[in-house]
Amino acid sequence: HPACIKVLNGDLVLTEPLALTAVVTGTNVTCNGAGNGIISITSPSGGYGTYEYSVDGGVTWQFSGQFTGLIPGPYNVRIRDAANIACYAILRAPLIITEPPALSASVANTNVSCFNAGDGTITISGAAGGYGHYQYTINGGAEWFDSGNFTHLIPGFYNVQMRDADNPVCIRILNGSLRITEPGILSASILKTDISCNGRDDGRIIISLPSGGSGNYTYSIDGGLHWQPSGDFPGLRPLTYNVQI
């Protein structure tokens, strides 16, 4: 009978959980190829109080909001209610993780010019990549310098590297065994012929069997005031001569 009614609950309230939300932060890859990007999802709220997280658009989920070891690329970051997995929210889509360009530079060197001169050089130029500020080393990282010009070097092997000054763990070996050489010590044989008779100018100095240096020689018998490509000096008068190669 239509008039036969009983009120079961005159004030029944239907509720819904609060909207899902959280804070998302991304950390880019520090060095080209490092694959150490990070996405952190923190301060979750809403739903029924337990959560799962995804950075691949919901293909995979995990209880932790920390995602490490990420490579560059776009990430679809989501949160879902662990008590009601059909309830999810897109937090960032996309979140872009980037990486800096690879470090690079050119290396040039000059060898020591003369035996024991200690004037070798290494020059690092054209630096690029990273975050734009660089430091350099020629001893494998024991010391770092803002300038890529290294002078007064002795013979030996040098481990030449550069690093991102804004991210010092990002290092590139430019030449791990760059050799600075020096020529051999100069030497030669000297033969003299004394003047045959008083008043004659027929003395002679002959410099022969030169070695060392770069292989091309000039000679002097006046202490370096005058030089000539031949080691033969005839027609000399009696004097003291300063013979040099």
Side-chain angles (χ1 to χ4, degrees):
H1 193 280
C4 185
I5 298 171
K6 181 176 181 178
V7 177
L8 299 175
N9 188 328
D11 197 22
L12 180 64
V13 178
L14 292 179
T15 65
E16 66 177 358
L18 296 174
L20 292 169
T21 186
V23 176
V24 180
T25 56
T27 302
N28 292 322
V29 175
T30 58
C31 185
N32 187 276
N36 61 353
I38 299 171
I39 293 176
S40 297
I41 308 170
T42 58
S43 303
S45 63
Y48 289 99
T50 56
Y51 310 99
E52 291 179 321
Y53 309 93
S54 173
V55 295
D56 57 10
V59 176
T60 59
W61 296 88
Q62 67 180 43
F63 288 108
S64 170
Q66 289 292 113
F67 295 84
T68 60
L70 302 180
I71 63 174
Y75 291 86
N76 186 326
V77 185
R78 301 186 179 194
I79 182 175
R80 76 178 178 184
D81 191 334
N84 179 20
I85 60 174
C87 184
Y88 71 89
I90 299 173
L91 299 173
R92 292 278 295 275
L95 187 157
I96 306 296
I97 295 293
T98 65
E99 70 179 357
L103 293 172
S104 64
S106 298
V107 180
N109 68 284
T110 58
N111 293 318
V112 176
S113 61
C114 184
F115 183 83
N116 212 30
D119 60 355
T121 69
I122 293 174
T123 303
I124 307 169
S125 61
Y131 291 100
H133 300 95
Y134 310 101
Q135 291 180 316
Y136 311 93
T137 179
I138 58 171
N139 56 15
E143 298 173 284
W144 292 92
F145 301 91
D146 293 326
S147 170
N149 295 319
F150 297 88
T151 59
H152 305 297
L153 303 180
I154 63 174
F157 290 91
Y158 293 85
N159 186 338
V160 184
Q161 302 182 13
M162 68 182 295
R163 73 179 179 185
D164 190 333
D166 296 323
N167 180 33
V169 299
C170 186
I171 296 171
R172 178 164 186 181
I173 299 173
L174 300 172
N175 189 328
S177 185
L178 189 157
R179 186 180 184 185
I180 297 291
T181 64
E182 70 178 356
I185 190 169
L186 291 170
S187 66
S189 297
I190 301 174
L191 176 66
K192 73 162 184 167
T193 301
D194 288 325
I195 295 166
S196 62
C197 186
N198 185 278
R200 292 186 180 179
D201 294 339
D202 61 354
R204 191 170 193 172
I205 294 174
I206 297 176
I207 309 169
S208 62
L209 301 176
S211 64
S214 60
N216 298 303
Y217 310 100
T218 55
Y219 309 91
S220 173
I221 59 172
D222 59 7
L225 293 177
H226 302 89
W227 296 89
Q228 68 178 44
S230 169
D232 189 359
F233 296 85
L236 302 180
R237 58 195 177 98
L239 279 176
T240 299
Y241 292 90
N242 183 339
V243 184
Q244 299 184 8
I245 179 175

